[in-house]
Amino acid sequence: MKKIIMITVLFILYLTPAFAEDTPPTPLSNKAAIELVQTHANYMWTMVAAALVFFMQAGFAMVEAGFTRAKNSINIMMKNLMDFSVGSLAFWAIGFGLMFGKSATGFFGTSGFFLSDFTPDGDPWVLAFWMFQVVFAATAATIVSGAMAERTKFTGYLAYSLIVSAVIYPIFGSWAWGSLFNGSGWLEGLGFIDFAGSTVVHSVGGWAALAGAIVLGPRMGKYTKDGGIKPILGHNIPLAALGVFILWLGWFGFNPGSTTTADKSIAMIFVNTNLSAATGCVVAMIVAWLKMGKPDVGMSLNGALAGLVGITAGCANVTPTSSIIIGAISGALVVFSVLFFDKIRIDDPVGAVSVHGVCGAWGTLAAGLFNMGGVTLSIVMVQLVGIVACFAWTFTLAFLMFKMISKTIGLRVTPEEELEGLDFTEHGGHAYPDFTA
């Protein structure tokens, strides 16, 4: 019986191509096989990371809904749904080409629109790369939603979501990341460090959110005539907390996934990302406790997000110890920033400007200040140039965009619609039929 089994196995092996070859595998063929496995692993890791970043859309939706009132929950779900849906089409048609197309000037791309770089018999990497980049574009647009919650017309929202995804985000992105595909950006040519997008994604979203909040004005009842600040509490803090945990998970795709390579480098990026988030959360809790007398949950949740944003630029080029310092400063900074914007009467229901704009700028500077390869004045100056360029480009364009939308199709709902709640007035329903306050 054993002989029969052995003969059968040898016969099967003989029929296989590898066994049937007259010559054994050469070092060259082994190298090709290893490269093929690595290529497939890169595709797989990039797609898994893209899926994690896509899941962050759910996190943003939960955070925004939890930090705002029940009567606007449907509206917030619709906005976050449309951010990705409208943003995907806008980035496919225009944004990807502007961001990663061939560029003679270093300011924007001029090829690759409508995914024209893909051909059925060509290299399919453009599809994997596009998928990873579109979830980043949607993140930048979604950040704006939180600062403009509870008083924005849905049609106006659709218009600015499309423009951010198609033009504002991609053009700045081309300055910093264009060479990741076919482009070349003037800012990256200077040596700008922003590995996963503290500035490219988060500050772009944060500064656009600032412009939108200014043009819209505060929610009704937020500030009293005598200059006082009236808190408008969110309706579901557990939902907001769930959103933060989802975002924390998604960031393990956001930062390590930016390697687009399945290799050992992702281990340190994972650790840096987690340590900065944890430290930001703890420090924000302590600072809020000292200032307010209680360990505030909202500030603590935003502290975790601040740490995540802060480490995004330098996650691949700073040490774990440095990531703790970056996260600590981010956690303290977000508390003071939220209080500052409230004091100057800029109403940001979820703290998006502070978390993404301010901490994104800090994280970008920190990537230069804590660079493992050495810190020089020139590196720090380039980081500052990138921070200023991002603010100048994004805030200016976004402010003009919001003004134009306001003057044409309209940006803010009527006072009556705001009081009633956008769920009913904009979408004809209630998220909680028995509780519409």
Side-chain angles (χ1 to χ4, degrees):
M1 185 66 181
K2 290 182 179 179
K3 289 183 178 180
I4 294 173
I5 294 173
M6 184 176 294
I7 292 170
T8 304
V9 170
L10 290 173
F11 181 71
I12 292 172
L13 289 174
Y14 176 76
L15 292 178
T16 63
F19 191 84
E21 290 178 355
D22 294 331
T23 58
T26 65
L28 182 61
S29 64
N30 285 338
K31 180 181 178 182
I34 292 169
E35 289 177 350
L36 183 62
V37 171
Q38 181 65 59
T39 297
H40 288 177
N42 294 345
Y43 272 78
M44 181 63 72
W45 168 235
T46 301
M47 292 297 89
V48 169
L52 285 169
V53 179
F54 168 74
F55 193 42
M56 291 173 71
Q57 292 292 131
F60 282 117
M62 299 301 99
V63 169
E64 186 180 346
F67 277 153
T68 53
R69 289 168 290 187
K71 63 183 180 181
N72 299 304
S73 298
I74 291 175
N75 178 256
I76 287 164
M77 294 302 114
M78 282 294 293
K79 289 192 302 177
N80 282 269
L81 178 65
M82 289 300 110
D83 271 328
F84 191 76
S85 301
V86 171
S88 290
L89 296 174
F91 196 70
W92 163 75
I94 302 172
F96 185 76
L98 288 175
M99 190 164 178
F100 295 109
K102 295 176 182 177
S103 175
T105 63
F107 283 95
F108 56 88
T110 57
S111 66
F113 302 106
F114 301 96
L115 261 181
S116 57
D117 287 324
F118 171 71
T119 57
D121 57 346
D123 185 359
W125 175 248
V126 64
L127 298 179
F129 184 73
W130 182 88
M131 194 66 229
F132 187 71
Q133 293 300 328
V134 75
V135 292
F136 274 52
T139 297
T142 296
I143 290 166
V144 185
S145 174
M148 301 176 66
E150 302 200 288
R151 68 242 199 240
T152 304
K153 287 184 66 172
F154 189 62
T155 51
Y157 184 85
L158 292 175
Y160 81 68
S161 182
L162 187 150
I163 295 169
V164 169
S165 299
V167 180
I168 295 177
Y169 165 74
I171 288 182
F172 182 80
S174 74
W175 299 354
W177 288 351
S179 67
L180 293 179
F181 198 62
N182 287 329
S184 59
W186 68 270
L187 196 52
E188 63 181 338
L190 298 176
F192 183 61
I193 303 169
D194 190 2
F195 184 76
S198 283
T199 284
V200 175
V201 179
H202 294 284
S203 281
V204 165
W207 300 143
L210 176 62
I214 291 172
V215 174
L216 264 181
R219 291 168 290 176
M220 296 175 61
K222 174 65 178 177
Y223 302 108
T224 62
K225 292 181 179 179
D226 60 359
I229 301 171
K230 182 181 177 181
I232 299 178
L233 302 178
H235 84 282
N236 195 328
I237 297 303
L239 190 67
L242 175 61
V244 170
F245 281 116
I246 290 173
L247 289 169
W248 198 325
L249 172 66
W251 239 284
F252 293 133
F254 204 100
N255 287 359
S258 292
T259 61
T260 63
T261 305
D263 63 17
K264 296 183 289 187
S265 68
I266 64 174
M268 187 182 74
I269 300 173
F270 262 89
V271 170
N272 285 345
T273 300
N274 190 68
L275 286 176
S276 184
T279 310
C281 182
V282 171
V283 170
M285 177 193 70
I286 293 170
V287 173
W289 202 337
L290 292 173
K291 287 193 69 66
M292 304 173 186
K294 295 288 183 182
D296 184 77
V297 64
M299 288 294 190
S300 302
L301 292 171
N302 269 338
L305 297 180
L308 289 163
V309 171
I311 196 59
T312 296
C315 57
N317 72 293
V318 304
T319 66
T321 300
S322 295
S323 73
I324 290 175
I325 299 171
I326 292 169
I329 295 174
S330 298
L333 189 60
V334 74
V335 175
F336 291 110
S337 180
V338 166
L339 296 175
F340 168 77
F341 283 113
D342 229 6
K343 186 176 181 180
I344 63 172
R345 302 173 75 88
I346 294 177
D347 184 16
D348 178 359
V350 304
V353 177
S354 300
V355 169
H356 300 280
V358 175
C359 291
W362 155 243
T364 303
L365 178 61
L369 292 175
F370 295 94
N371 182 32
M372 285 191 299
V375 181
T376 64
L377 180 60
S378 62
I379 291 176
V380 174
M381 290 305 296
V382 168
Q383 296 303 99
L384 290 172
V385 168
I387 292 166
V388 172
C390 179
F391 181 83
W393 166 258
T394 306
F395 182 82
T396 302
L397 265 290
F399 188 85
L400 293 174
M401 171 189 68
F402 286 124
K403 280 291 188 182
M404 188 176 300
I405 292 172
S406 181
K407 298 293 184 182
T408 52
I409 61 177
L411 189 63
R412 181 160 185 157
V413 298
T414 65
E416 293 77 17
E417 290 171 328
E418 186 175 343
L419 287 172
E420 180 71 22
L422 304 188
D423 285 1
F424 182 75
T425 60
E426 291 279 88
H427 308 285
H430 294 294
Y432 308 96
D434 297 326
F435 176 65
T436 60

